[in-house]
Amino acid sequence: MKKKLVSVMLCAAMAMTLLAGCGGSPSDSDSAAGGDANAPSQGEDSTSGGDKEQADASADDADQNGSDQATGTGGKSCAILVKSAGNPYNKKMIEGFQEIMDAEGVTCVVKEPEEASAEAQIKMINELVAQGISSIAIAGNDPDALQPALEEAMNQGIKVCCMDSSVNADSRQLFVNQAGIEIIGETLMEAVYDITGGEGQWAILSATSQATNQNAWIDAMKTVMEDEKYSKLELVEVAYGDDEYQKSVDQTQALLANYPDLKVICAPTTVGIMAAAKVLKDEQTDVKLTGLGLPSEMADYIGTDDAHSCPYMYLWNPIDIGRLTAYVSLALVDGSITGAEGENFTAGDLGDYTIEAAADGGTEVVLGPPFAFTPDNIEEWKNVY
Ligand code: RAM
């Protein structure tokens, strides 16, 4: 864990030096994403107790997602409930989660709501509770709205953690944080400063307006921006594409139409940044783009010349988020951790973790700092995630 902390500090320092970002080489797995980010995920011959069909099942049919497995075997069954279906980032998290559950012989139940709403997630939490699931790992579509459902789950002895987008401290035992909130805010703000040249208009294209992670990062960026250094930058709008491709396209087009002097769009969402990249290319504008994106989706748009809108962007390894969340779920279920500050556990190849206090009064483990994707490394990463 010490190594990871040092890595976070180093990356924070490096992020402040702009272009390099956290720019270790892709083989620098500690700074890349806290684990073996190059490792292809999910071996095909993993012993199963899990059910691959669950992971592959279309989310539209929530009722097919694992009810038999959760009740029928008498064994352990661990669920992952993501923000919404149809988002490749969520698929990668599921992939990592499922891989570990399969390897451990534990039934894996996957829930993907059709839309990124708290209501849809509450319905699925209630189904999982009724099925007698052992644990629920959730990426929250809202920090507070899920509390009654998740408290009820915990009252029934179900272990609850969250990943990617946290639910409030009373709604969980532990948060698997992909990277520190401040470091993401600082890193993105530095990118905006660098790409704008330190002055002019910029906008944020976010996901849903209730998403805990998006709002935390946006707040962190605004806090950074209070410094005099950023006084010539004007944040003209925070737009919401709801992590839907077409809505994100529409929102990007509206930003271009409404702000002719716009210099940079920062999209801290993989869906948003990809949609924005497509619009900027189609419209042949000189507006630039940065944010958080999947290398596999953004490779064609990353470059420093006029033909490319995105000079560089960031992310972490979403497969490792899924893996780490799986290890946390299993440790909660077998009782080796409760989610209290100071507890330790080993997350397979990802290494040793110590549970820390989170800014919201709960606890968390942090995977690692964000990693910079640049024209120099994007080709190596685009086939990884
Ligand atoms: C989108 C989602 C997710 C976020 C990533 C960066 O896929 O909003 O929650 O972590 O982007």
Side-chain angles (χ1 to χ4, degrees):
M1 193 60 210
K2 240 185 205 157
K3 199 169 165 199
K4 285 178 194 306
L5 277 176
V6 170
S7 181
V8 169
M9 302 299 288
L10 275 175
C11 261
M14 289 174 80
M16 303 305 277
T17 64
L18 307 180
L19 269 170
C22 297
S25 74
S27 57
D28 179 6
S29 59
D30 264 351
S31 67
D36 185 7
N38 279 311
S41 55
Q42 191 163 315
E44 290 196 342
D45 52 352
S46 54
T47 43
S48 188
D51 182 345
K52 284 215 171 75
E53 276 176 41
Q54 304 299 330
D56 298 337
S58 151
D60 315 34
D61 192 347
D63 291 341
Q64 284 183 6
N65 277 337
S67 54
D68 292 339
Q69 283 70 23
T71 52
T73 61
K76 282 186 271 187
S77 55
C78 295
I80 180 167
L81 201 176
V82 296
K83 279 169 148 184
S84 63
N87 178 345
Y89 175 93
N90 295 338
K91 285 282 180 212
K92 292 291 175 193
M93 281 197 305
I94 291 167
E95 195 180 306
F97 187 87
Q98 175 112 31
E99 174 200 327
I100 303 305
M101 292 301 166
D102 284 354
E104 298 291 325
V106 172
T107 298
C108 176
V109 177
V110 176
K111 293 284 195 184
E112 303 171 271
E114 212 170 331
E115 59 160 37
S117 72
E119 293 69 31
Q121 288 189 317
I122 289 167
K123 186 168 168 272
M124 291 182 164
I125 292 166
N126 293 340
E127 287 165 4
L128 290 168
V129 171
Q131 290 163 15
I133 199 88
S134 311
S135 69
I136 299 173
I138 184 168
N141 281 323
D142 188 292
D144 302 316
L146 303 158
Q147 187 172 337
L150 291 173
E151 275 184 340
E152 175 58 22
M154 288 189 282
N155 287 340
Q156 306 249 350
I158 297 167
K159 307 303 175 192
V160 174
C161 66
C162 54
M163 72 286 169
D164 183 55
S165 182
S166 61
V167 290
N168 71 25
D170 292 333
S171 307
R172 68 174 199 249
Q173 291 170 268
L174 182 57
F175 173 37
V176 179
N177 196 348
Q178 51 269 65
I181 290 167
E182 282 79 20
I183 194 175
I184 294 176
E186 284 162 11
T187 302
L188 293 179
M189 208 51 235
E190 280 311 309
V192 170
Y193 183 89
D194 173 46
I195 298 168
T196 53
E199 58 183 39
Q201 294 188 343
W202 68 289
I204 293 174
L205 174 64
S206 183
T208 60
S209 61
Q210 292 303 309
T212 324
N213 57 347
Q214 295 287 321
N215 289 339
W217 300 333
I218 292 167
D219 284 348
M221 290 178 82
K222 287 180 176 169
T223 301
V224 173
M225 220 174 57
E226 284 168 14
D227 192 285
E228 174 65 22
K229 171 179 170 183
Y230 306 94
S231 60
K232 291 185 179 151
L233 281 172
E234 184 192 357
L235 174 59
V236 291
E237 188 174 328
V238 180
Y240 297 96
D242 290 351
D243 269 349
E244 289 173 21
Y245 177 76
Q246 191 53 48
K247 192 161 181 198
S248 303
V249 164
D250 297 345
Q251 291 293 316
T252 306
Q253 285 168 338
L255 288 173
L256 296 181
N258 293 338
Y259 307 101
D261 295 330
L262 194 65
K263 282 173 116 174
V264 166
I265 295 173
C266 178
T269 141
T270 57
V271 178
I273 197 171
M274 200 253 291
K278 177 84 169 52
V279 172
L280 298 184
K281 183 163 193 186
D282 289 352
E283 310 236 337
Q284 296 187 332
T285 114
D286 55 7
V287 173
K288 292 292 178 187
L289 179 65
T290 192
L292 304 173
L294 283 167
S296 54
E297 296 185 325
M298 286 294 291
D300 288 349
Y301 305 105
I302 291 187
T304 45
D305 59 0
D306 289 347
H308 297 85
S309 61
C310 183
Y312 55 96
M313 60 165 204
Y314 295 86
L315 200 68
W316 41 84
N317 186 335
I319 306 167
D320 280 347
I321 293 289
R323 291 182 178 128
L324 182 53
T325 302
Y327 284 115
V328 163
S329 299
L330 292 169
L332 287 170
V333 169
D334 75 19
S336 53
I337 61 169
T338 63
E341 186 180 351
E343 289 177 334
N344 300 298
F345 65 99
T346 301
D349 293 345
L350 295 174
D352 297 334
Y353 285 84
T354 300
I355 298 174
E356 298 165 37
D360 65 358
T363 56
E364 67 181 12
V365 286
V366 179
L367 181 70
F371 181 69
F373 296 99
T374 70
D376 291 339
N377 66 17
I378 192 69
E379 287 303 310
E380 292 171 69
W381 283 96
K382 69 180 186 185
N383 297 320
V384 183
Y385 54 82

